Amino acid sequence: MTLVAVTIKVRREIAELAEEMVRLGLARSRNHAYNMMIEMGLREVKRLVERRKAVRRLVEEFMKNGLPYTDLPTVKDVEEERAR
């Protein structure tokens, strides 16, 4: 596979999306983000970004307020149940 450097102009929205993909850890670099957009399509990439942002919001909420569930079974409880 031969790589070729290409300079392009994109809308600000696309450039900001590429930056956000890198910030969220979906892409290793802006170059990788642009390649993902080309290969996957803009709609799919936007869906992935929104999903990752929703997960981060939940994690931050759980870290701040604790898990909303109490009395969840532990690994020990599950292992005991399987042993029966």
Side-chain angles (χ1 to χ4, degrees):
M1 171 172 60
T2 304
L3 300 177
V4 178
V6 178
T7 303
I8 61 172
K9 289 186 179 186
V10 296
R11 294 188 320 256
R12 182 177 306 276
E13 169 194 358
I14 303 294
E16 290 170 354
L17 182 60
E19 292 289 338
E20 190 162 22
M21 289 173 68
V22 173
R23 222 178 4 263
L24 292 172
L26 290 170
R28 295 181 303 271
S29 64
R30 286 191 322 251
N31 185 51
H32 184 225
Y34 288 123
N35 282 320
M36 287 176 66
M37 287 182 213
I38 291 168
E39 292 171 7
M40 298 172 68
L42 191 56
R43 180 177 293 143
E44 182 67 17
V45 167
K46 284 182 177 181
R47 190 186 68 76
L48 286 174
V49 167
E50 289 306 315
R51 185 175 178 150
R52 180 66 60 102
K53 285 165 60 173
V55 168
R56 284 213 171 176
R57 279 192 298 271
L58 283 174
V59 168
E60 289 171 5
E61 182 180 325
F62 292 159
M63 295 298 284
K64 180 181 171 188
N65 301 327
L67 286 173
Y69 306 103
T70 57
D71 302 322
L72 290 173
T74 63
V75 172
K76 185 177 178 182
D77 296 334
V78 173
E79 288 174 348
E80 287 174 3
E81 186 68 28
R82 287 183 184 165
R84 292 183 194 172

